[in-house]
Amino acid sequence: MIANEKIKAAEVQVTGVNGEDLGIMSTKEALQMAKELDVDLVCLSLASSPPPCQLVSRTDFKQQKVKENAKNRKAEKGPKVKEVRLSAFIEDHDYETKKHQAERILQAGDVVELTVRLEKKESQEAKRLVEELVRDLAHCGKQEKGIQVSGKQVVAVVLPL
């Protein structure tokens, strides 16, 4: 974010502290007004001419900058992959609990890996269970690839929407 003296444009479109439109004025006038009101002049976008700027209280500006930095750091790291383990023969209530857990993870923006550990010959039941769970999670996530059936487990990866 560009603020105060760092704004290089000759004229700016100014919005007041309470959201009222103050019109187009020179940057010097806008900075003078910001000083009088003891607030910061913050440039919202450099894409248009004159650039839209807003008068923002100093504490709000600092909090907004901290939130933006945290958001950028999270975006750089990328989404986490979180595993939800199930068994092939699962009770209805446990299934619902795991489904809600996966929904929460997807809504937080992370990737869910649904894993069913196999015992004996239950790969068909496990695959059917994972297919059903992927269908139930379709409103908040989409399946990355097909369901992978290996010797000891059945895995599906669901990406957030």
Side-chain angles (χ1 to χ4, degrees):
M1 265 189 270
I2 300 172
N4 298 331
E5 285 76 23
K6 292 181 183 175
I7 300 171
K8 301 295 182 197
E11 289 185 324
V12 291
Q13 171 77 36
V14 181
T15 305
V17 178
N18 298 322
E20 67 276 6
D21 186 26
L22 302 176
I24 297 173
M25 60 178 74
S26 73
T27 306
K28 286 183 180 180
E29 287 178 52
L31 286 170
Q32 184 63 36
M33 185 185 295
K35 244 178 214 169
E36 290 171 8
L37 295 172
D38 196 36
V39 294
D40 287 317
L41 181 68
V42 178
C43 184
L44 303 174
S45 170
L46 297 173
S48 61
S49 181
C53 295
Q54 185 172 7
L55 296 172
V56 181
S57 72
R58 295 189 196 288
T59 55
D60 288 347
F61 177 64
K62 285 180 183 176
Q63 287 175 349
Q64 192 174 4
K65 202 167 188 177
V66 166
K67 281 183 184 177
E68 188 176 293
N69 288 342
K71 190 176 182 182
N72 289 341
R73 276 196 311 274
K74 185 170 184 178
E76 284 175 14
K77 287 181 181 177
K80 292 180 182 176
V81 177
K82 298 193 176 181
E83 183 181 39
V84 175
R85 289 186 182 174
L86 306 122
S87 63
F89 300 104
I90 189 170
E91 297 292 324
D92 291 339
H93 178 266
D94 295 335
Y95 175 83
E96 289 297 319
T97 303
K98 295 292 185 176
K99 184 176 90 172
H100 289 301
Q101 181 183 4
E103 285 173 350
R104 274 197 313 271
I105 293 169
L106 289 169
Q107 288 167 353
D110 293 323
V111 178
V112 174
E113 182 179 273
L114 303 169
T115 304
V116 180
R117 300 283 174 159
L118 299 177
E119 298 173 14
K120 305 174 196 156
K121 304 272 188 216
E122 54 192 31
S123 63
Q124 293 305 315
E125 292 88 0
K127 189 172 180 183
R128 183 194 50 74
L129 175 71
V130 171
E131 286 171 350
E132 183 182 343
L133 192 52
V134 168
R135 271 196 308 275
D136 288 347
L137 295 172
H139 68 279
C140 59
K142 66 180 189 302
Q143 190 174 353
E144 183 182 34
K145 300 176 192 165
I147 297 172
Q148 300 164 344
V149 181
S150 67
K152 295 184 179 181
Q153 63 185 12
V154 175
V155 178
V157 178
V158 182
L159 302 173
L161 292 177

